[in-house]
Amino acid sequence: MLKIEFESTPSSSYNILCLGAHCDDIEIGCGGTILKLIETYPNLNIHWVVFSSTPERKQEALDSADIFLKKAAKRTIVIQNFRDGFLPYQGAEVKDYFEQLKQAFKPDAIFTHYRQDFHQDHRLISELTWNTFRNHFILEYEIPKYDGDLGNPNFFVHLSPAHYQQKIKFILDTFKTQKGKAWFTEELFQSILRIRGMESNAPSCYAEAFYSRKMVF
């Protein structure tokens, strides 16, 4: 299987943009990959944006981002206050923020939602990502949920046992408001990582998966 990687030298520096509609989306979708990137590339500058929150969930999101990005060389964490479930109906305001973001940060790689995600908030963030950043390396992550919209991703990141175990632990320890939900379990998070690890022949048996729509070789 063909593998790609960033150039890694002592002076290598990359800007990574992480976008999530809700307070736990980034962690669930690409948390293990972020942990791996930070360990592999010591000079990462990570810009982490969550679009909807409540006061309680905002604090959880800040705590979680602090944990996941603890070893990043530079980080910016932004938690917006758009209404959960209503992002398409606040589309003009969300798009305005994307335009501001485009001027403020120049990413080398972007993590965002899957374009065919059935959740309306997720779909809007993906659409505006592509609308705003038209000449960038974009990876769309997946969120397991009741809608049953998991597809066939084509880009895989193999995770070490430390990375996938840390990812799951950090999520479960931090997002306490979600613990009453039937899907918010260690078993579910581990299961999807195991399936994607099997599909990509991961040495550790675990991987995160993404959709890469445009790449130049």
Side-chain angles (χ1 to χ4, degrees), residues 17-169:
L17 177 60
C18 300
L19 302 172
H22 309 112
C23 288
D24 51 11
D25 287 342
I26 298 172
E27 294 89 339
I28 293 172
C30 62
T33 299
I34 295 303
L35 292 171
K36 180 174 181 175
L37 286 173
I38 290 172
E39 182 177 289
T40 306
Y41 304 99
N43 297 319
L44 289 188
N45 177 14
I46 299 180
H47 201 94
W48 181 287
V49 182
V50 175
F51 283 86
S52 67
S53 67
T54 63
E56 187 175 23
R57 295 215 70 198
K58 179 176 182 177
Q59 188 57 56
E60 288 180 341
L62 289 170
D63 292 343
S64 178
D66 279 340
I67 295 171
F68 273 88
L69 304 181
K70 181 179 180 180
K71 296 182 180 180
K74 186 177 180 181
R75 61 183 183 173
T76 300
I77 301 167
V78 179
I79 313 295
Q80 294 285 356
N81 297 310
F82 293 106
R83 187 177 176 187
D84 183 353
F86 287 77
L87 291 190
Y89 310 103
Q90 299 174 283
E93 292 87 350
V94 178
K95 182 170 173 56
D96 282 340
Y97 180 75
F98 266 90
E99 292 301 313
Q100 297 171 25
L101 184 58
K102 180 172 66 175
Q103 300 302 317
F105 192 69
K106 307 299 181 185
D108 296 297
I110 303 172
F111 292 93
T112 192
H113 287 279
Y114 173 38
R115 186 187 293 178
Q116 304 302 322
D117 194 308
F118 287 165
H119 194 294
Q120 66 276 9
D121 291 351
H122 297 181
R123 235 176 12 254
L124 179 72
I125 297 305
S126 182
E127 291 169 2
L128 289 177
T129 302
W130 283 100
N131 178 261
T132 306
F133 299 97
R134 302 181 66 85
N135 192 33
H136 292 74
F137 176 45
I138 298 175
L139 292 176
E140 300 172 6
Y141 57 76
E142 56 185 355
I143 302 290
K145 55 188 180 301
Y146 183 77
D147 304 83
D149 55 10
L150 294 176
N152 298 298
N154 58 6
F155 190 102
F156 299 86
V157 177
H158 293 168
L159 301 179
S160 70
H163 291 145
Y164 77 76
Q165 290 168 9
Q166 285 177 343
K167 166 187 169 162
I168 295 172
K169 183 179 188 305

Side-chain angles (χ1 to χ4, degrees), residues 165-182:
Q165 290 168 9
Q166 285 177 343
K167 166 187 169 162
I168 295 172
K169 183 179 188 305
F170 292 163
I171 291 171
L172 295 176
D173 287 351
T174 307
F175 293 103
K176 299 184 185 304
T177 60
Q178 305 305 295
K179 286 191 173 181
K181 297 184 177 180

